[in-house]
Amino acid sequence: MKMRRLLPITAILVLALCLAACGASGGNSADAGSDRAPAASAAPVPYPDFGGGDMTAESHQTPSGGAGESKVYTSQDAKLIRTASLTIQSTEFDAAVTALDKLVIEQGGYYESAEVQQGAYYDAGSARYGSYVVRVPKENYTAFLSATGGVGHVVSKNESTQDVGEAYYDAEARLKTLETKHERLLALLEKAVTMEDIVSLENALSDTEYEIDQYSTTLRRYDSLVGYATISITLNEVLKLTEPVQETATLSGRIGNALSTGLSDFGEGLGDFAVWIAYHLIGVVLFLAIAAAAWVTAARIRRKHCAGTAPKTEESKPSQEKK
């Protein structure tokens, strides 16, 4: 009997010892794995090479000397097309245009296009606005955007960057191959004897020259887009500048801002309606005159109709009484 009682207890003890041993071995293996993890991730991850040599993840980190300036924007091998769009408000339109012209000249840029609209169709004396496309050298891109605050109140700003390095270096390699092919075809043409060979080589030279022109044009276009950033600017003349959004605005402040903005918009709407009435004054007067004449005519017809039907109703009463 004692042996039967001891067997379950012994089995339980053996099972507990086995579980403890397994847990200890699992913890040791986890610790060993964690010790090996840093060694596996220490090697830098290579970036694709577009022809500018070996590049690693470390070469793309932000340098400590300049805040926010990544080496990818200063690398000579990076082919980046940088574009931006700005919306600027000003209460003094002429002064803002002069400041923009000065800024473009200072940064070594030029206007690709410029358009100024004087008022609206229904109101020639209303607010003006201008649309500009500015090209500035890529090294002056950041300085130009930083200085646009001197032109007017910047309402919105959007920036984008497109990396065309792969397409650029691919076109450059193809161009070199075609130029080598062109030289070889010229050498063969000098040694050609039969007319058939001469015609065939001249056709091949014509096709090769056409492809060389295409790739040369593509590279020139890339060089222009990469060398000069493109900035689109919309300059609006306003009576009141848009107030910037306050991050810590209270509920009362938000309600007050909404009321003031609503009243301002309502006043501008009434002003625009008054201008519209003044512009269409003749048409409005004619419409009101026609509407008044139609109302008077309808009233007269209604009166005649009522006067014509009244006696008939009176005569019908005696006839009904005789019956």
Side-chain angles (χ1 to χ4, degrees):
M1 295 294 292
K2 292 182 178 180
M3 290 298 294
R4 291 180 180 178
R5 293 178 180 177
L6 290 174
L7 284 176
I9 298 174
T10 304
I12 293 172
L13 290 175
V14 172
L15 181 60
L17 290 173
C18 292
L19 292 175
C22 293
S25 62
N28 294 332
S29 63
D31 294 339
S34 62
D35 293 338
R36 290 192 298 269
S41 61
V45 180
Y47 275 75
D49 187 6
F50 294 132
D54 295 335
M55 300 175 66
T56 62
E58 294 177 352
S59 64
H60 286 260
Q61 292 177 355
T62 303
S64 58
E69 293 182 0
S70 175
K71 286 184 179 180
V72 72
Y73 293 113
T74 58
S75 175
Q76 297 297 326
D77 297 325
K79 298 298 181 181
L80 303 176
I81 299 176
R82 307 190 70 179
T83 59
S85 60
L86 301 172
T87 301
I88 302 176
Q89 293 180 347
S90 178
T91 56
E92 299 178 359
F93 187 80
D94 295 330
V97 171
T98 303
L100 181 60
D101 294 340
K102 182 179 178 181
L103 178 60
V104 172
I105 295 174
E106 289 177 351
Q107 299 299 329
Y110 64 92
Y111 286 118
E112 187 176 83
S113 64
E115 180 184 2
V116 176
Q117 293 290 338
Q118 182 71 34
Y121 177 77
Y122 293 114
D123 188 5
S126 63
R128 296 166 289 179
Y129 66 93
S131 300
Y132 305 90
V133 177
V134 183
R135 303 293 303 280
V136 295
K138 62 179 182 180
E139 58 270 12
N140 297 338
Y141 171 78
T142 303
F144 183 90
L145 291 183
S146 300
T148 51
V151 177
H153 176 56
V154 180
V155 179
S156 64
K157 178 175 68 175
N158 298 318
E159 299 182 55
S160 63
T161 302
Q162 181 183 4
D163 187 0
V164 295
E166 185 175 359
Y168 183 91
Y169 291 116
D170 180 69
E172 190 177 47
R174 291 177 180 272
L175 179 60
K176 292 180 180 179
T177 302
L178 289 170
E179 289 175 348
T180 303
K181 179 181 178 181
H182 187 266
E183 294 176 357
R184 292 177 179 177
L185 288 174
L186 286 175
L188 291 174
L189 182 61
E190 293 177 356
K191 298 178 182 180
V193 178
T194 62
M195 183 60 65
E196 183 180 358
D197 292 340
I198 293 175
V199 172
S200 177
L201 289 172
E202 286 181 348
N203 291 334
L205 279 171
S206 178
D207 295 339
T208 304
E209 290 173 354
Y210 177 75
E211 292 181 1
I212 288 175
D213 291 339
Q214 282 188 323
Y215 282 109
S216 299
T217 302
T218 300
L219 289 176
R220 285 194 299 268
R221 180 169 57 87
Y222 278 143
D223 288 335
S224 176
L225 294 174
V226 171
Y228 279 77
T230 304
I231 303 172
S232 302
I233 299 176
T234 301
L235 180 60
N236 296 323
E237 183 182 23
V238 295
L239 298 176
K240 182 181 178 182
L241 299 176
T242 302
E243 296 181 359
V245 179
Q246 299 178 1
E247 297 181 356
T248 58
T250 60
L251 179 59
S252 59
R254 293 166 57 190
I255 294 175
N257 187 20
L259 288 175
S260 61
T261 304
L263 291 175
S264 178
D265 293 342
F266 180 73
E268 292 180 3
L270 287 179
D272 294 339
F273 179 73
V275 171
W276 186 88
I277 291 294
Y279 188 85
H280 298 87
L281 182 60
I282 297 177
V284 172
V285 171
L286 289 176
F287 175 77
L288 293 177
I290 294 173
W295 184 80
V296 171
T297 303
R300 289 179 178 177
I301 293 174
R302 192 182 306 110
R303 291 174 184 174
K304 289 182 179 180
H305 180 72
C306 294
T309 55
K312 292 181 180 179
T313 55
E314 292 178 356
E315 291 177 357
S316 60
K317 290 181 180 180
S319 59
Q320 293 177 358
E321 291 178 356
K322 290 179 179 180
K323 291 180 181 180

